[in-house]
Amino acid sequence: MMTQPDLLQNYQDIFQTTDTPRSFFAPGRINLIGEHTDYNGGHVFPAAISLGTYAIARKRADQTLRFYSMNFPDAGIIECTLSDLSFNSDHDWANFPKGMIHTFIENGFSIPSGMDVLFYGDIPNGAGLSSSASIEMATGVVLEELFDLEIERLQMIRLGQKVENDYLGVNSGIMDQFAIGKGKKDHAMLLDCQTLKFSYAPVELNGYEIVIINSNKQRTLAASKYNERRSECEQALADLQKELPIDSLGELSGEQFEQHKHLITNDINRKRAKHAVYENERTVRALSELEQGHIEAFGNLMNASHVSLRDDYEVTGAELDKIAETAWSHPGVIGARMTGAGFGGCAIAIVEQAQIDNFKKTLTTVYSEDFGYPPSFYETKISDGAKELVEEWQL
Ligand code: GLA
């Protein structure tokens, strides 16, 4: 367990300085519902969480950038200069902050000097809770504050997405950076990814809690399968556009989809589009159920989301299915589904407080029997978006 003084002490030891640097935090995110809808012009319903990335930083007088992650101590200090911010596989995890700095500069922001930055994440890496968007947005607020940049939050969010798309080659949508950039304590946000209009919705679960379950399954080939799903949806859209004047799958109701689905020539693409259309409808409905306090109806929509991701979008896998299916039959669980991109990673479940311990025990037993290793559980709160930490803070 790391504390604020520990991080500051580590900073001073690693960068051999007695200066007091400034501290920043960017959360991770969960998505309650609305999966693989963002790049299809649909709705998503994510929330920022209290697990995330801490960045401790100070400017340097020269052009050198030095990065250190307490999560990857073996990688040591990774160094480069402002004049060469190109992607470098030897720089490993540091390509995330490098990519953000590169993208800021490319978009006209002035970064006149280098920095020493230490990162520490209490968010599991690569587990579908957006550790990558978290480090990108942590870097974004570091740049904004250290260099007094005038940047709208929405622009920072878009630049984070650009790092994924153009610098790292993952064609992801805007959900992760948006949730992390605009998160609000105790609120989820319903975002229309086509217009970027959004609204906050209080998450009041009265006696229930959101439990995050990490399948601990290594996510292999996730980026290439993700890009493949995206292009399957684009092909389905192109087929539909032969008769329909639409810009995205998110514009279609389920009924319209049924009337026109024959236009999609490939069976697989048709299943992918079906998921995108119905998941979007479920997401919009989910907000109104939550607002009316219909937690069970909300849970049912989460379950239907998982089924669709399992059968039509095919991104769940045996591990996440086992978690969701075990949760569905457990007393006190009103909804469970995978969260994030899938292909391994995390699931979330809404569980009655009194049943949480029992649920964890049961799931650990049945999951370990099938896969030979246990899942992990995280307790987390819904929290604010990326920001500088100005007061005494606690991890
Ligand atoms: C990843 C991407 C997001 C989104 C989800 C799936 O987290 O980064 O843009 O597409 O997968 O909903």
Side-chain angles (χ1 to χ4, degrees):
M1 169 91 177
M2 199 66 61
T3 64
Q4 176 191 16
D6 286 343
L7 285 191
L8 295 175
Q9 186 62 53
N10 268 287
Y11 186 94
Q12 294 182 333
D13 293 348
I14 283 153
F15 293 120
Q16 306 266 302
T17 172
T18 50
D19 288 1
T20 305
R22 288 163 71 177
S23 306
F24 305 84
F25 176 73
R29 66 101 190 88
I30 49 172
N31 188 18
L32 298 177
I33 190 165
E35 218 66 84
H36 291 278
T37 44
D38 59 352
Y39 54 82
N40 283 310
H43 291 76
V44 293
F45 200 15
I49 56 175
S50 51
L51 297 171
T53 310
Y54 293 81
I56 316 292
R58 128 198 110 116
K59 281 196 271 198
R60 294 173 56 93
D62 59 15
Q63 298 286 296
T64 303
L65 290 159
R66 295 197 296 169
F67 304 108
Y68 183 87
S69 168
M70 295 185 58
N71 300 82
F72 302 102
D74 293 347
I77 293 180
I78 297 174
E79 190 171 316
C80 65
T81 67
L82 281 167
S83 58
D84 183 8
L85 290 165
S86 53
F87 182 90
N88 179 341
S89 53
D90 291 343
H91 288 169
D92 201 33
W93 68 268
N95 283 299
F96 291 99
K98 272 180 67 184
M100 200 64 177
I101 300 167
H102 168 84
T103 307
F104 264 63
I105 295 172
E106 203 183 52
N107 283 271
F109 290 100
S110 162
I111 313 288
S113 71
M115 304 184 285
D116 286 339
V117 194
L118 174 137
F119 290 98
Y120 169 71
D122 59 3
I123 181 175
N125 288 314
L129 301 180
S130 281
S131 53
S132 55
S134 177
I135 189 168
E136 287 153 13
M137 296 302 285
T139 309
V141 285
V142 165
L143 296 174
E144 176 183 28
E145 299 297 338
L146 288 191
F147 298 104
D148 292 320
L149 305 178
E150 292 283 330
I151 179 165
E152 298 271 335
R153 191 44 71 100
L154 185 58
Q155 187 177 11
M156 191 191 292
I157 289 167
R158 286 186 197 275
L159 295 184
Q161 187 193 6
K162 238 169 131 29
V163 174
E164 294 288 335
N165 298 171
D166 302 343
Y167 192 85
L168 302 168
V170 183
N171 282 331
S172 49
I174 201 160
M175 169 171 74
D176 301 347
Q177 288 81 7
F178 199 98
I180 291 170
K182 294 244 189 207
K184 182 170 166 184
K185 192 172 183 300
D186 299 328
H187 289 72
M189 48 198 120
L190 186 81
L191 169 68
D192 177 337
C193 299
Q194 192 74 343
T195 60
L196 296 187
K197 287 210 180 98
F198 73 104
S199 56
Y200 291 110
V203 179
E204 281 158 8
L205 297 174
N206 306 325
Y208 289 84
E209 265 176 48
I210 299 171
V211 177
I212 303 178
I213 308 123
N214 189 347
S215 68
N216 289 325
K217 184 197 172 191
Q218 215 56 37
R219 294 203 307 163
T220 46
L221 292 177
S224 65
K225 287 189 201 152
Y226 182 95
N227 289 349
E228 181 185 286
R229 290 297 177 283
R230 184 167 182 157
S231 70
E232 287 162 349
C233 287
E234 282 163 1
Q235 287 162 30
L237 175 65
D239 284 347
L240 291 167
Q241 283 170 330
K242 289 183 190 133
E243 283 189 20
L244 289 171
I246 52 169
D247 290 326
S248 75
L249 294 175
E251 287 169 42
L252 289 181
S253 64
E255 209 176 307
Q256 287 168 317
F257 176 76
E258 295 304 331
Q259 279 160 12
H260 295 94
K261 64 183 182 190
H262 61 274
L263 295 170
I264 305 172
T265 51
N266 173 305
D267 292 349
I268 291 185
N269 296 349
R270 194 177 313 116
K271 285 208 298 187
R272 307 300 190 235
K274 176 180 165 213
H275 166 77
V277 169
Y278 283 96
E279 179 77 351
N280 184 39
E281 286 201 334
R282 276 189 287 273
T283 307
V284 175
R285 276 222 319 273
L287 172 72
S288 80
E289 300 295 6
L290 193 67
E291 281 175 341
Q292 294 172 76
H294 298 160
I295 314 231
E296 290 200 358
F298 186 85
N300 286 336
L301 291 168
M302 288 174 68
N303 299 347
S305 165
H306 187 93
V307 169
S308 175
L309 288 156
R310 181 188 68 192
D311 299 344
D312 288 331
Y313 221 65
E314 298 180 278
V315 293
T316 56
E319 293 81 358
L320 288 168
D321 289 344
K322 184 76 188 180
I323 293 170
E325 284 155 20
T326 307
W328 296 337
S329 59
H330 195 279
V333 177
I334 51 167
R337 59 180 291 275
M338 57 155 268
T339 192
F343 316 106
C346 286
I348 51 172
I350 300 189
V351 190
E352 195 186 328
Q353 269 152 354
Q355 284 288 348
I356 292 180
D357 284 345
N358 215 347
F359 170 63
K360 287 183 183 173
K361 263 194 225 130
T362 308
L363 187 56
T364 302
T365 308
V366 298
Y367 188 88
S368 306
E369 266 167 24
D370 276 20
F371 302 108
Y373 56 90
S376 310
F377 299 92
Y378 307 112
E379 320 266 320
T380 184
K381 297 193 184 66
I382 295 187
S383 78
D384 283 333
K387 61 180 179 192
E388 180 163 13
L389 300 171
V390 278
E391 283 155 23
E392 259 308 275
W393 41 280
Q394 278 195 331
L395 304 193

